[in-house]
Amino acid sequence: MRRPRKSEDYNEFAFVKKFSDSERRFKDFKGNQGVALIFPSSYKVASSSLSWSWVQQLFWEQGVFPERYFYEKWFKKFYSVESFKPLDENKILMFSLHFELNFENVLDILKKLKVPLLSKDRDVNSPVVIIGGAITFFNEEIITPIADVVVKGDLEKKVKFVSEGIRLLLKNKVEGLEYFKNIKNDLSNFDIGQKLPASHFLTPFSEFGEKRLIEIGRGCIRRCKFCVMGYNKKPVKFVRPSIIEEFVKNEKNPIGVISATITDYPWLDDLLDILEEYNIEFSVSSMRADGITERLLCLLKKSGQRTYTIAPEGISQRIRDILLKDIDVEELYSALETGRKVGFKSVKFYYIVGLGEGKDDLGEMKEFINNVKKMGYKSISLSVNPLIPKRRTPFYGRKIISEKEYNNMKKWFYENLRGIKINFESYRLSKKQYDFNVMNENDIVEFVKRRY
Ligand code: SF4
């Protein structure tokens, strides 16, 4: 095991080691090629993302062995989770970027490593910066000036090509970059139907707890107007239950089932049969109120889930229709009744605001929450987020709600929905996310020059 040379780096080393020691791995690490796989967010977020694990495994199959890195603002050296190799000893820095708000973390890492931030300013001795991840589906503009190579879309479709490119880059940067000019960057979904993406380590620090994560569906059959998934992850692909059964029958650990929404999984009952038969505890990443079944809720409850989560998104039917959410209030009530029937006492709702909500919409919201209280839910919490009109969705071009309107909305919620836990997303962070959505490549270059 590598240890820091300077005592001042020991804190950072010990911090990474704590997470490294927490991992129970199902595949042996092979590495030390000088390739880093960086998730530019905290360990908690990184380990909750199946992609951090799955991308590493995809490369391993091709004989390329990246080491995993994560981000904290106070880090200076950035040690790998596997061998504690400092980040600046790598020749290739691969970023798995999924959220605009992590974009500045990428810049911070490059700055700390003294790597020129704009790809045009790098020379033959600079490390190669490769960026992939969900961001490439909806906001490639912000990464284009930074990345030497952008790997767009699903990695499975091009992992052979990218691995060959990495081998070339390790031998000769100029030739490697030339090779990458021929990368085919199509965005259509890879068919995961025959091969189940699954995580290869467990850690108690993940948001899901110590669960093996499996991805049973890629893309979404819906088209909610605010959602990048609905418009960009097509065609939708599902893993067949027989493939999931092969995995589950040898699994002793609880499972985190990842999909856009489990209630749209075409063989939901077969999946539940399998989970029941092998006595597997599980959680789901998302479900829609219109597809909820008593059986699904019962099994989730049995698996230890305490809070029932529903995303009406719009505070009234009028707003839900604008969002194209395709859920009506009767479906919401029916899903909530089912929740009570199986014994849930705690419910959490997700809302999006900033669509011109008026008095009538707010009144409808108040009535809805009062009815939920009457159903017997003891704890009701709300998560309220401003609409970020994302690129490559029909809402792109709309303005974000103003800070003043947002504050008025907050005031109304606190005054009118008493006894409810309400969490409003930070306006500052939402605005930042919005700004990154409206910047073009030139704006990003200017932003980097100005800020860094
Ligand atoms: S919000 Fe959910 S249901 Fe709607 S398109 Fe996105 S993933 Fe699908």
Side-chain angles (χ1 to χ4, degrees):
M1 183 204 302
R2 304 275 300 269
R3 285 183 185 278
R5 295 202 188 108
K6 294 186 198 158
S7 60
E8 69 203 48
D9 296 328
Y10 200 81
N11 269 354
E12 185 178 334
F13 171 81
F15 188 82
V16 176
K17 189 168 182 306
K18 177 181 81 176
F19 294 117
S20 176
D21 289 349
S22 81
E23 290 186 355
R24 267 197 290 146
R25 299 182 189 140
F26 299 91
K27 288 183 182 171
D28 290 334
F29 170 68
K30 309 157 200 150
N32 210 14
Q33 276 180 328
V35 185
L37 173 60
I38 309 155
F39 198 101
S41 188
S42 66
Y43 181 81
K44 183 176 181 172
V45 177
S47 59
S48 310
S49 166
L50 174 54
S51 71
W52 200 37
S53 162
W54 186 236
V55 165
Q56 190 180 39
Q57 295 175 69
L58 287 173
F59 278 119
W60 284 359
E61 285 171 9
Q62 302 298 322
V64 170
F65 302 106
E67 301 191 37
R68 282 176 296 133
Y69 291 81
F70 62 96
Y71 176 84
E72 289 288 336
K73 203 169 182 177
W74 55 277
F75 278 6
K76 287 188 187 135
K77 300 294 285 186
F78 296 93
Y79 295 103
S80 76
V81 176
E82 284 92 1
S83 75
F84 306 101
K85 180 176 177 155
L87 188 55
D88 64 1
E89 292 182 17
N90 291 284
K91 284 186 173 174
I92 298 178
L93 307 175
M94 291 196 292
F95 289 91
S96 181
L97 184 61
H98 304 270
F99 315 109
E100 279 107 346
L101 288 179
N102 291 157
F103 173 64
E104 285 180 293
N105 300 346
V106 174
L107 299 177
D108 189 42
I109 291 170
L110 296 178
K111 189 177 158 226
K112 284 174 176 161
L113 261 53
K114 299 191 172 56
V115 176
L117 300 184
L118 299 173
S119 58
K120 69 177 179 52
D121 296 334
R122 291 183 203 126
D123 63 21
V124 72
N125 298 313
S126 309
V128 180
V129 176
I130 300 178
I131 305 183
I135 196 101
T136 63
F137 284 94
F138 59 94
N139 198 350
E140 197 192 337
E141 285 78 354
I142 62 169
I143 54 173
T144 305
I146 310 301
D148 297 306
V149 176
V150 174
V151 179
K152 271 169 85 165
D154 289 352
L155 180 64
E156 289 99 333
K157 285 193 146 184
K158 53 208 83 167
V159 65
K160 272 200 173 70
F161 181 93
V162 177
S163 301
E164 194 47 41
I166 287 174
R167 276 188 278 274
L168 270 173
L169 283 171
L170 288 169
K171 277 193 229 141
N172 183 317
K173 180 174 173 181
V174 177
E175 280 179 24
L177 288 179
E178 200 52 40
Y179 168 90
F180 268 109
K181 284 184 183 160
N182 293 320
I183 190 166
K184 284 200 183 69
N185 269 329
D186 72 297
L187 286 178
S188 59
N189 275 347
F190 173 75
D191 186 356
I192 54 171
Q194 298 304 317
K195 189 175 178 182
L196 180 73
S199 60
H200 70 311
F201 65 88
L202 294 178
T203 169
F205 294 103
S206 151
E207 278 169 23
F208 294 96
E210 286 190 276
K211 294 197 176 83
R212 290 294 289 278
L213 303 180
I214 59 170
E215 183 187 11
I216 64 160
R218 190 168 287 187
C220 182
I221 59 170
R222 316 272 170 175
R223 284 185 185 268
C224 306
K225 275 188 168 172
F226 55 90
C227 177
V228 288
M229 170 100 78
Y231 286 86
N232 298 288
K233 294 288 292 161
K234 303 280 177 187
V236 183
K237 300 289 181 190
F238 296 104
V239 181
R240 294 208 159 254
S242 56
I243 310 269
I244 300 174
E245 184 168 12
E246 279 306 301
F247 178 86
V248 159
K249 70 182 182 197
N250 300 314
E251 189 55 50
K252 305 271 178 294
N253 298 290
I255 281 180
V257 181
I258 312 282
S259 63
T261 155
I262 187 146
T263 41
D264 283 339
Y265 181 67
W267 307 284
L268 181 57
D269 264 326
D270 297 340
L271 173 64
L272 297 180
D273 287 345
I274 292 165
L275 295 169
E276 260 195 317
E277 184 183 338
Y278 294 98
N279 212 7
I280 298 281
E281 286 182 7
F282 69 102
S283 64
V284 298
S285 56
S286 172
M287 52 192 182
R288 278 176 58 97
D290 55 354
I292 296 290
T293 63
E294 192 173 328
R295 185 178 182 212
L296 172 62
L297 287 190
C298 258
L299 289 174
L300 285 171
K301 187 109 205 325
K302 221 170 117 192
S303 295
Q305 188 171 320
R306 297 207 183 291
T307 302
Y308 181 22
T309 304
I310 294 186
E313 318 281 14
I315 67 166
S316 68
Q317 194 56 46
R318 186 181 78 86
I319 302 293
R320 278 192 292 280
D321 291 345
I322 295 175
L323 293 169
L324 228 66
K325 186 66 194 176
D326 205 14
I327 285 183
D328 62 41
V329 75
E330 293 313 322
E331 286 166 321
L332 290 174
Y333 285 135
S334 157
L336 286 159
E337 292 287 2
T338 312
R340 282 297 297 130
K341 200 167 164 194
V342 306
F344 278 105
K345 291 184 188 141
S346 172
V347 63
K348 181 171 184 179
F349 295 109
Y350 280 90
Y351 285 101
I352 293 175
V353 295
L355 289 124
E357 291 82 357
K359 248 176 150 185
D360 290 350
D361 303 306
L362 292 166
E364 200 175 313
M365 170 82 179
K366 192 171 174 177
E367 188 190 334
F368 176 71
I369 295 295
N370 283 337
N371 288 338
V372 178
K373 279 184 190 162
K374 283 183 206 151
M375 282 179 182
Y377 282 97
K378 298 280 174 257
S379 160
I380 303 174
S381 54
L382 310 183
S383 168
V384 186
N385 304 272
L387 171 76
I388 313 286
K390 295 262 185 181
R391 270 201 173 94
R392 298 182 185 102
T393 68
F395 281 152
Y396 186 58
R398 285 178 82 113
K399 290 260 180 290
I400 187 173
I401 187 172
S402 72
E403 191 164 13
K404 192 173 163 212
E405 283 174 288
Y406 193 57
N407 287 338
N408 288 341
M409 184 81 85
K410 261 188 198 175
K411 198 164 163 259
W412 184 92
F413 269 67
Y414 288 130
E415 283 174 3
N416 288 276
L417 306 177
R418 302 221 178 245
I420 306 287
K421 283 179 235 149
I422 309 173
N423 178 40
F424 273 86
E425 174 62 299
S426 136
Y427 188 80
R428 187 184 62 82
L429 291 180
S430 305
K431 178 68 171 51
K432 195 184 258 192
Q433 209 183 335
Y434 169 77
D435 289 342
F436 281 135
N437 260 280
V438 292
M439 285 182 184
N440 62 27
E441 287 176 27
N442 289 338
D443 298 330
I444 290 292
V445 171
E446 286 310 310
F447 169 81
V448 167
K449 282 185 187 161
R450 220 174 37 243
R451 279 284 300 279
Y452 297 88

